[in-house]
Amino acid sequence: MSRVEDFLTQEEELDIVQAILEAEKKTSGEIRVHIEAHTRLDHFERAKEVFHLLKMDNTKDENGVIIYVAVNDRKFAIYGDRGIDKVVPTNFWDTTRDTIETHFKKGNYKQGLIDGILRAGKELETHFPWYHGNENELSDEISKG
C-alpha cells in the first residue's frame, strides 16, 4: 500500500466527509480535500493546479477552497478561488492553516483536517453565508492523486 492509502482509514475519511457536510451547512462555499503522495511543484502551486483539475473554479460564486495534502512531503496547502480572494484579508487562511498544522505536527491527521475544515467553513460563513436554494456544486468526497 502507498502512503496515501495509509494516511487515513476508511472510517477517518468518512468522518472528514461528514465534517465537510457540516461546514457547508452554513456557507455557500465549497470545501474539498485532496491527498496525494508527492509533488515536484511548490505545494501551493500544486494545490492551485489540482483545484483547476477538479473543476473547482466552476462554482457560481467562485468560493471553492481546497485543502491539499502531499503525504510523503509532509506538506499541505490551502487554496481558495477568486471570489474568496476578492473579499477576504490576505491572512484569511492563517487560522485554518495553524489549526491543521498544530494537529499534523502531532500526527493527528484526521483531527487536523476535521478542525481545519470546520474552521474554514466558519470563516467562509462570514463572507459567503448559506442561502435558500443554495446547491452543493462539488463532491464532498476526498480526492486522491
Side-chain angles (χ1 to χ4, degrees), residues 16 19 21-22 41 62 73 86 104 109 113 129 133 140:
I16 290 166
L21 293 169
E22 185 65 31
L41 299 175
E62 298 180 319
D73 302 343
K86 287 178 187 174
F104 275 23
Y109 305 114
L113 288 169
D140 298 319

Side-chain angles (χ1 to χ4, degrees), residues 5 8-17 142 144:
E5 292 169 337
L8 298 167
T9 67
Q10 187 173 8
E11 183 178 311
E12 289 172 328
E13 287 188 21
L14 292 173
D15 291 343
I16 290 166
V17 170
I142 296 171
K144 296 178 183 171

